[in-house]
Amino acid sequence: MRIGDLEQLTQFHDKLNPQLWENNRLKPQVRLALFKIAKAFVDFINIPDLQLTDITVSGSNASYSYNKDSDIDLHLVADVNGPCEADLDQLFIDRKSTRLN
């Protein structure tokens, strides 16, 4: 990587990525696609009684520092002290390196 490339990676914009955001809200089609991805992941990990408390988007595409190579960081937040607590250790052992199709 050259210095010029690094400067482009740290460019700040006046608006959130217009491909994803409109009036500071995720576009409906993007939001729906992210919900489908989250549901597919929840189905894949197959944890009975998983209690999701939030779904968040973070990273450069959730801020003003996105670039043409930015991805979307989607995080599912669950209550780890809920009924699914006993299943979580096995989740981290079994699923951490398994790819979702």
Side-chain angles (χ1 to χ4, degrees), residues 80-91:
V80 297
N81 296 313
C84 68
E85 181 178 6
D87 297 318
L88 293 177
D89 287 340
Q90 194 61 41
L91 166 71

Side-chain angles (χ1 to χ4, degrees), residues 9-97:
L9 290 175
T10 57
Q11 177 182 3
F12 288 92
H13 303 275
D14 294 343
K15 293 181 172 183
L16 294 171
N17 188 340
Q19 292 181 317
L20 304 174
W21 300 90
E22 186 170 43
N23 299 322
N24 291 329
R25 295 182 63 87
L26 279 172
K27 290 183 175 182
Q29 64 271 28
V30 174
R31 187 172 186 263
L32 179 60
L34 293 175
F35 273 120
K36 286 180 179 180
I37 291 167
K39 183 180 180 336
F41 185 74
V42 168
D43 292 346
F44 169 74
I45 61 175
N46 192 28
I47 300 289
D49 301 319
L50 180 67
Q51 294 179 352
L52 288 181
T53 59
D54 204 357
I55 299 173
T56 65
V57 178
S58 62
S60 59
N61 261 320
S63 71
Y64 299 91
S65 60
Y66 62 90
N67 63 60
K68 65 180 180 61
D69 297 316
S70 293
D71 61 358
I72 297 174
D73 301 308
L74 184 65
H75 298 266
L76 281 65
V77 181
D79 180 1
V80 297
N81 296 313
C84 68
E85 181 178 6
D87 297 318
L88 293 177
D89 287 340
Q90 194 61 41
L91 166 71
F92 293 122
I93 292 168
D94 290 346
R95 304 291 200 266
K96 69 180 177 180
S97 63

